[in-house]
Amino acid sequence: MAGDDSSIFIGSKPFMNYVTGVVMQFTTKDAKEVAVKARGKFISRAVDVVEVASKRFLEGQVELIGIKIDSEEFTNKEGRNVRVSTIEITLKKIKK
Amino acid sequence: MAGDDSSIFIGSKPFMNYVTGVVMQFTTKDAKEVAVKARGKFISRAVDVVEVASKRFLEGQVELIGIKIDSEEFTNKEGRNVRVSTIEITLKKIKK
């Protein structure tokens, strides 16, 4: 968990918005940890965001400290029980 | 890694094929560990397969022991460098 640190929730905005969001948390906002979270089809995108942010923009500056997957169940508009997968990927700033 | 144990590579076949594949590895084929692997957009699906197999069909019989994400780079048909994310989720049979 990111605790009182920041979370980035991945949705359908342009891809680089999320990458920039992660990078800015560590740089401008000096976050110690950032949790990248997504549900359903956005899970693939969350992995892409983490890979690009950590390997292209923050190489050597952050490390991946945890990946959690889970499911959420809820009732949709038609009254059916629906299960959706979730992911939470936590990056941590490397101390210099 | 699943070592000499089995891997299930997630693609575009019907969803339940993969769930059944994972379940069968642990039941019929008595695998100790199964690695569910995917690339790109199939990563979300891999998480769904693991969640459904482990929570609906193999509840209390398997545990999630590791999730790894990575990137692969390759040159596509147009000669461009392309990066694709990968995931590997490993389930292990719980000893009774």
Side-chain angles (χ1 to χ4, degrees), chain B residues 22-58:
Chain B
V22 172
V23 173
M24 295 263 293
Q25 286 296 331
F26 282 113
T27 54
T28 322
K29 302 201 176 165
D30 204 32
K32 302 285 171 287
E33 288 183 24
V34 173
V36 176
K37 301 177 183 184
R39 306 199 318 164
K41 66 175 178 176
F42 295 113
I43 288 176
S44 306
R45 205 153 208 242
V47 175
D48 287 338
V49 167
V50 168
E51 284 294 305
V52 171
S54 63
K55 292 186 177 162
R56 197 177 302 163
F57 293 94
L58 297 165

Side-chain angles (χ1 to χ4, degrees), chain A residues 15 40-44 47-48 50-52 55-56 64 67-71 83 85-87 89, chain B residues 15 40-44 47-48 50-52 55-56 64 67-71 83-87 89:
Chain A
F15 181 72
K41 65 175 179 177
F42 294 114
I43 288 175
S44 306
V47 175
D48 286 338
V50 168
E51 285 292 306
V52 171
K55 292 186 177 162
R56 198 178 300 164
L64 197 157
I67 308 174
K68 289 188 287 189
I69 63 172
D70 204 350
S71 303
R83 194 201 57 76
S85 300
T86 63
I87 198 166
I89 308 170
Chain B
F15 181 73
K41 66 175 178 176
F42 295 113
I43 288 176
S44 306
V47 175
D48 287 338
V50 168
E51 284 294 305
V52 171
K55 292 186 177 162
R56 197 177 302 163
L64 198 156
I67 308 175
K68 289 187 289 189
I69 63 172
D70 204 351
S71 303
R83 194 201 56 75
V84 66
S85 301
T86 62
I87 198 166
I89 308 169

Side-chain angles (χ1 to χ4, degrees), chain B residues 5 12 17 26 39 47 51 59 77 79:
Chain B
D5 265 308
S12 53
N17 286 26
F26 282 113
R39 306 199 318 164
V47 175
E51 284 294 305
E59 203 182 349
K77 285 177 288 189

Side-chain angles (χ1 to χ4, degrees), chain A residues 26-80:
Chain A
F26 282 114
T27 55
T28 320
K29 303 201 177 167
D30 204 33
K32 301 287 171 287
E33 289 183 22
V34 173
V36 175
K37 302 178 182 182
R39 306 199 316 166
K41 65 175 179 177
F42 294 114
I43 288 175
S44 306
R45 207 154 205 241
V47 175
D48 286 338
V49 167
V50 168
E51 285 292 306
V52 171
S54 64
K55 292 186 177 162
R56 198 178 300 164
F57 293 94
L58 297 165
E59 203 183 349
Q61 299 173 58
V62 299
E63 60 184 336
L64 197 157
I65 59 164
I67 308 174
K68 289 188 287 189
I69 63 172
D70 204 350
S71 303
E72 286 175 13
E73 299 219 24
F74 60 94
T75 308
N76 70 5
K77 287 177 287 190
E78 288 81 37
R80 284 182 58 197

